Amino acid sequence: MRELVGLAYFAICAAIAVWASRRTRTADDFFVAGRGVGLVPFAIAAMASTLSGFAFIGGTGLVYSIGMTALFLILPAGVTNTLGAWVLGKRMHRLGSARRLLTVPDALAARYRSPAAQGLSAIAILAGVIGYLATNALALGVVIDALFGTGLGPGIWIGTAVTLAYSVSGGILAGIYTDVFQGLVMAIASTAVFFVALEAGGGLPAITRTIEAADPALLGPWGARGAMTALSFFFVFAVGSLGQPQIAHKYYMLRDLPRLKWYPALMTVAMVLAQLLLFSVGVSVKALVLRGEMPALASPDAATPQFLLRFVPVVLSALVFAGVAAAIMSTVNSFLSIGAAALTHDVPRALGRQPVRQLRIGRVWTIVIAVLAALLAQQAGLLVAFLGILGYGLFASTLVPALAIGLNWTGATREGALASIATGLVMTVGLEWLVWSTRLTVPQGITVTGITLVSSLLVFLGVSWLTRARAAEQLDPDVRGILEDT
Amino acid sequence: MIALVVGLLGIVGAYAGVLLGLTSPLAPMAMAIGSTAVLAGIAQLAIVRRGRATPRLARTVRWVFGAMGCGFVGVLLMPAPVAGGPLLFGLPRATAILLLVTGALPLLALPVAYARAFDDEVMPAPEPRDDA
């Protein structure tokens, strides 16, 4: 049954991709979906590309092991869904329409009149994209192996090939419409499992009583890791969300600005539904294991698979596996598009060349990046673990200051933007490498991304203040008009 | 901008406290206030129109982020949870309060406030007409 549902899922994705790829004729279609996406597909696609397999596997395992602390990874969604539209949505959309922009580094080049800002941010985005893609390719391989018994290595290649098929033929246009289907699968699967999980645990009060008898801190307000770690997560995931290029880039695709009005509300509903599983399965499995109704887990990441095997009807568990694949594939497609755009469009522009034949070259780079990520994913457990950590922190520390603050503050300068992007890039790679290779230990309560994000924000504000005399001359009149909202 | 800078300095102070091994409860307090202030500062920057904050969204920023900051600090001041304590919505009371004030409140209030203010305060101002 699981195989049948899995095949049906991949068949529907393929059908949508064929339909969308027939509509992909220009670079605008390939990279920004022809700037013609409506509200509902826009919001669901944003949700689907934001959530990776973490929402179904890794996040559940974290709730199982550190309790409420893990919830601070998703708690910021209450703020970030609206703040993204509020801080970036309108200005990115207007800038994109006025200048026919294709990428996030394009917006930085326009804002600061700086090819260097475009090039440097493209490098940061590429490094983060490769990291994200390698971990997601590995996760997709695990899911395909679980569904069809292919083995991990072939599973990685099969998953990569399927995602590549629609990413290459239809670009982000195919990605958006497959995201809508994938987002719906994620939300339905997550909501259904939420109720099954609470019922299996005997209801939330019974689950709470079981867990607090063993460890009262786990379901206390800050969880097992304490207030400092929880609040550090909150800061990193609330502020860092404003620098995630897979979301910022989507604002170019919206058909017109008035459609932004209900985007935060719709995105919020979609996100809440898709994340219900994360909390409910995490705490239910913890209670069931403590009561001896489930054997102890080999690793926290086994929480969702073990729960699905023991407590969930086979059709629903197959739907959840499809939901995991959906979460991963929608994220992969978005990152493939961003990575290919950086190489096709941003790097040539940063070097002073006019990008040519972007549709064809974009397709070639999409293949190259996907194959590279799949090759890296074969090194499961070593390099991939390091690369996976890099992505979010790199985007947050390099893009939040220059993009999220810079598009809302006319006092920001080119020098401030370049210094902050460089600070974020060097500090994130350096510190994460030191921590990963155990040459540096960060005390509990602090995250490397927290340090790098604060540092790049302070560098941005400080250097912009020191060079404030140049701020006005670095703003083109049309860009100033958009920033000042006139 | 002041909220943003003060918030960042609060976070730097909180991290410095942890790095120096200080066990003072002031570190999480500074982290809570700093994080909320940074978010409020960024939100405030984004609602400035021709040099002035738009009124409805400015009120939303003050109330929602103010409540979030108070929620974090209030729960930090509450005693540590014990087994068998009172539950609210099936969770320990302090946990439920924290989730309601810092999760559910902004989740409901911000999208609605944004949509309500959209036509007047978010959409670009119309071009001034030259009737001469």
Side-chain angles (χ1 to χ4, degrees):
Chain A
M1 177 55 79
R2 261 199 289 274
E3 292 86 344
L4 277 178
V5 174
L7 282 174
Y9 162 77
F10 284 113
I12 293 172
C13 284
I16 296 170
V18 169
W19 169 79
S21 61
R22 287 185 182 156
R23 297 175 58 192
T24 303
R25 298 184 191 95
T26 66
D28 251 24
D29 296 333
F30 193 78
F31 291 120
V32 288
R35 301 178 205 274
V37 178
L39 170 66
V40 174
F42 179 73
I44 297 177
M47 175 275 280
S49 56
T50 301
L51 297 180
S52 62
F54 177 84
F56 288 79
I57 306 287
T60 313
L62 264 186
V63 171
Y64 174 87
S65 55
I66 62 174
M68 292 303 295
T69 313
L71 222 60
F72 282 79
L73 298 169
I74 59 169
L75 195 66
V79 175
T80 56
N81 295 331
T82 306
L83 208 59
W86 190 314
V87 171
L88 292 172
K90 178 176 67 175
R91 288 175 173 90
M92 287 291 283
H93 181 80
R94 290 186 69 193
L95 209 51
S97 301
R99 294 276 187 109
R100 307 301 294 173
L101 305 183
L102 289 180
T103 66
V104 169
D106 259 348
L108 294 175
R111 164 64 183 84
Y112 299 103
R113 288 210 320 226
S114 170
Q118 181 162 23
L120 204 54
S121 58
I123 290 169
I125 286 175
L126 264 177
V129 158
I130 296 288
Y132 261 119
L133 285 175
T135 45
N136 277 287
L138 176 61
L140 195 52
V142 171
V143 174
I144 288 174
D145 182 28
L147 271 174
F148 303 109
T150 56
L152 181 60
I156 290 171
W157 286 114
I158 292 168
T160 301
V162 172
T163 316
L164 252 182
Y166 69 84
S167 300
V168 169
S169 58
I172 200 72
L173 185 67
I176 289 281
Y177 290 103
T178 45
D179 280 358
V180 173
F181 167 64
Q182 290 163 343
L184 290 173
V185 170
M186 289 159 65
I188 292 167
S190 171
T191 309
V193 171
F194 172 75
F195 292 107
V196 174
L198 290 187
E199 194 181 324
L204 192 52
I207 291 169
T208 300
R209 291 300 185 207
T210 303
I211 294 175
E212 67 180 6
D215 181 359
L218 209 69
L219 286 186
W222 313 106
R225 294 282 172 89
M228 211 33 220
T229 303
L231 289 163
S232 249
F233 282 170
F234 183 84
F235 166 68
V236 163
F237 285 90
V239 178
S241 73
L242 297 172
Q244 301 306 303
Q246 76 278 21
I247 302 299
H249 169 235
K250 283 197 169 56
Y251 293 116
Y252 293 151
M253 303 173 197
L254 200 60
R255 193 175 302 153
D256 49 42
L257 198 54
R259 282 169 210 272
L260 206 57
K261 182 174 182 175
W262 291 104
Y263 159 73
L266 198 57
M267 168 84 162
T268 297
V269 172
M271 284 287 264
V272 168
L273 293 179
Q275 295 190 337
L276 286 174
L277 179 147
L278 183 148
F279 175 73
S280 61
V281 171
V283 293
S284 287
V285 170
K286 188 76 186 180
L288 291 164
V289 169
L290 285 169
R291 288 181 208 145
E293 294 170 25
M294 256 181 92
L297 301 180
S299 82
D301 284 350
T304 301
Q306 286 298 316
F307 182 79
L308 293 177
L309 286 173
R310 287 166 189 274
F311 293 95
V312 179
V314 70
V315 175
L316 182 53
S317 77
L319 194 66
V320 177
F321 275 111
V324 179
I328 298 167
M329 288 168 72
S330 52
T331 305
V332 167
N333 169 267
S334 278
F335 283 116
L336 280 176
S337 173
I338 290 166
L343 286 164
T344 308
H345 183 81
D346 295 317
V347 171
R349 284 184 68 112
L351 296 173
R353 296 188 202 132
Q354 195 57 31
V356 291
R357 290 175 294 158
Q358 293 187 84
L359 182 58
R360 183 182 298 179
I361 295 173
R363 284 177 164 147
V364 172
W365 278 123
T366 304
I367 296 171
V368 171
I369 294 169
V371 170
L372 177 63
L375 286 171
L376 285 170
Q378 305 282 344
Q379 314 295 315
L382 292 171
L383 191 58
V384 176
F386 171 66
L387 291 171
I389 297 165
L390 264 186
Y392 190 92
L394 260 181
F395 294 149
S397 60
T398 57
L399 295 180
V400 169
L403 188 71
I405 311 284
L407 284 184
N408 292 283
W409 180 40
T410 52
T413 65
R414 181 185 304 150
E415 292 77 9
L418 289 171
S420 73
I421 297 170
T423 301
L425 189 56
V426 172
M427 279 189 76
T428 305
V429 174
L431 285 179
E432 293 288 12
W433 177 263
L434 288 172
V435 170
W436 181 76
S437 59
T438 64
R439 290 185 177 91
L440 176 73
T441 306
V442 178
Q444 184 168 316
I446 296 182
T447 59
V448 169
T449 303
I451 295 173
T452 57
L453 181 54
V454 169
S455 304
S456 65
L457 279 164
L458 285 172
V459 165
F460 177 70
L461 296 175
V463 174
S464 289
W465 186 77
L466 288 172
T467 55
R468 60 191 180 280
R470 294 175 208 162
E473 74 195 37
Q474 292 173 354
L475 265 175
D476 284 333
D478 61 330
V479 177
R480 175 179 287 280
I482 290 169
L483 262 59
E484 293 182 340
D485 207 4
T486 53
Chain B
M1 186 52 77
I2 293 170
L4 178 59
V5 174
V6 170
L8 287 171
L9 294 177
I11 294 168
V12 170
Y15 280 169
V18 174
L19 284 170
L20 294 171
L22 304 176
T23 52
S24 160
L26 285 177
M29 205 78 85
M31 192 72 203
I33 296 169
S35 302
T36 318
V38 168
L39 284 170
I42 295 174
Q44 188 74 24
L45 271 181
I47 57 173
V48 172
R49 204 171 198 179
R50 299 187 201 106
R52 301 185 66 176
T54 50
R56 262 200 248 170
L57 288 175
R59 268 199 303 278
T60 304
V61 170
R62 274 198 301 274
W63 281 103
V64 172
F65 291 101
M68 284 177 71
C70 291
F72 280 134
V73 172
V75 172
L76 278 169
L77 294 172
M78 289 172 84
V82 289
L87 300 184
L88 184 62
F89 300 120
L91 288 167
R93 195 163 56 189
T95 307
I97 291 172
L98 187 76
L99 292 182
L100 284 174
V101 178
T102 65
L105 171 71
L107 196 77
L108 297 171
L110 288 175
V112 172
Y114 181 78
R116 288 189 62 191
F118 192 87
D119 295 331
D120 296 334
E121 298 189 359
V122 178
M123 282 296 284
E127 293 292 324
R129 288 179 61 183
D130 184 6
D131 293 331

